[in-house]
Amino acid sequence: NVAFKKVDAIKYIKKTDSLFDIILIKQTIHFFSKKQIKSLLNLAKTKLNKKGQILIFSLETNKNEIPCFKTMKSKLLKSLKRDNDIMKLVKKNLKNYKNSNFNFKVNLKKTKYIQMIKNRYISCLLDISEGKIKKGINEIKSNYKSKIKFNDTLNCISYKK
C-alpha cells in the first residue's frame, strides 16, 4: 500500500510507531533548515523496515535547463546553490548512499508554461512580486518559441538500511 501524507514530516515520524519500506522526499527538502534536515534524516533511518530505503529527489544543481526570466533565474541559481549544500549534508548524513539522475524531456506549449509560472510551480517563484512575475512572463513571451523544450533532470539520493 502507498500512502502519501501532507503533514509536518518531523512531527509525524517522531510520533508514528510504523516502519516504512520507502520514505520519499521529493523536491521539498530545501524547505527545511539544516538542523531540521539532520533531524529528519536521523529519524527516517530509524523508521525504515529491514530492507527499507529513503529516496530524496532534488533538481540537478549543475546543468539545469529550466526556462527562466531574469529574476527567476537569479532566484533559481541562489536556490540551486543552497540545494547543492543541502545535498552535501544529506550525503554526509546517509554515508552509504547511491546517486542517480532521472532525465525528463519536457515539451510544452508556451501558454501552458506561462500558466505554470502564474501558478508559481517552482519554489523560487514563491516570493517574487506579482509585478515581477508579469514582467517575467513578458520576457518568456518574447524569448521563447510557441513550444518550449528542455531537459528536466532530477538527482536522486537513495539510502538502503
Side-chain angles (χ1 to χ4, degrees), residues 4 23-32 55-59 104 152 154-155:
F4 290 96
I23 296 175
L24 173 68
I25 303 169
K26 185 180 177 290
Q27 293 179 272
T28 54
I29 200 160
H30 61 280
F31 288 115
F32 293 93
L55 300 175
I56 301 170
F57 290 91
S58 181
L59 283 177
F104 304 94
D152 190 9
L154 289 180
N155 179 266

Side-chain angles (χ1 to χ4, degrees):
N1 290 341
V2 175
F4 290 96
K5 300 207 178 268
K6 185 178 177 181
V7 295
D8 180 311
I10 295 172
K11 286 180 184 175
Y12 179 80
I13 286 186
K14 276 183 182 178
K15 281 184 181 179
T16 188
D17 292 329
S18 299
L19 296 178
F20 301 93
D21 296 326
I22 295 176
I23 296 175
L24 173 68
I25 303 169
K26 185 180 177 290
Q27 293 179 272
T28 54
I29 200 160
H30 61 280
F31 288 115
F32 293 93
S33 69
K34 289 183 179 183
K35 182 179 177 182
Q36 289 173 317
I37 292 168
K38 287 178 187 177
S39 176
L40 177 62
L41 294 174
N42 289 332
L43 287 166
K45 287 187 281 189
T46 68
K47 297 297 181 170
L48 291 174
N49 283 328
K50 192 181 273 189
K51 293 184 180 181
Q53 60 183 329
I54 299 169
L55 300 175
I56 301 170
F57 290 91
S58 181
L59 283 177
E60 170 60 45
T61 57
N62 295 321
K63 298 177 185 173
N64 194 285
E65 296 181 22
I66 293 175
C68 294
F69 53 89
K70 187 176 178 182
T71 302
M72 179 182 176
K73 185 71 163 181
S74 170
K75 296 271 189 182
L76 180 61
L77 290 174
K78 184 177 178 182
S79 175
L80 291 174
K81 184 181 181 318
R82 184 172 186 275
D83 282 3
N84 198 43
D85 292 343
I86 288 170
M87 289 301 111
K88 286 178 186 174
L89 173 71
V90 168
K91 290 172 181 178
K92 184 177 178 183
N93 183 287
L94 296 179
K95 292 189 176 65
N96 296 324
Y97 65 89
K98 287 186 181 176
N99 200 37
S100 54
N101 287 323
F102 294 91
N103 299 302
F104 304 94
K105 291 194 181 303
V106 179
N107 182 359
L108 62 138
K109 291 181 180 178
K110 180 167 47 177
T111 53
K112 173 68 175 164
Y113 192 65
I114 288 170
Q115 189 58 51
M116 290 168 61
I117 290 170
K118 287 179 182 176
N119 293 337
R120 298 169 192 259
Y121 81 100
I122 189 169
S123 62
C124 68
L125 296 172
L126 293 176
D127 66 349
I128 297 177
S129 72
E130 195 61 39
K132 287 186 179 181
I133 291 285
K134 286 180 182 175
K135 184 179 176 188
I137 286 170
N138 288 332
E139 286 179 40
I140 297 291
K141 284 179 179 177
S142 64
N143 293 339
Y144 293 92
K145 296 178 180 178
S146 62
K147 284 276 192 178
I148 296 178
K149 298 178 182 182
F150 64 99
N151 292 311
D152 190 9
T153 303
L154 289 180
N155 179 266
C156 178
I157 294 174
S158 58
Y159 167 85
K160 288 186 180 178
K161 193 166 186 178

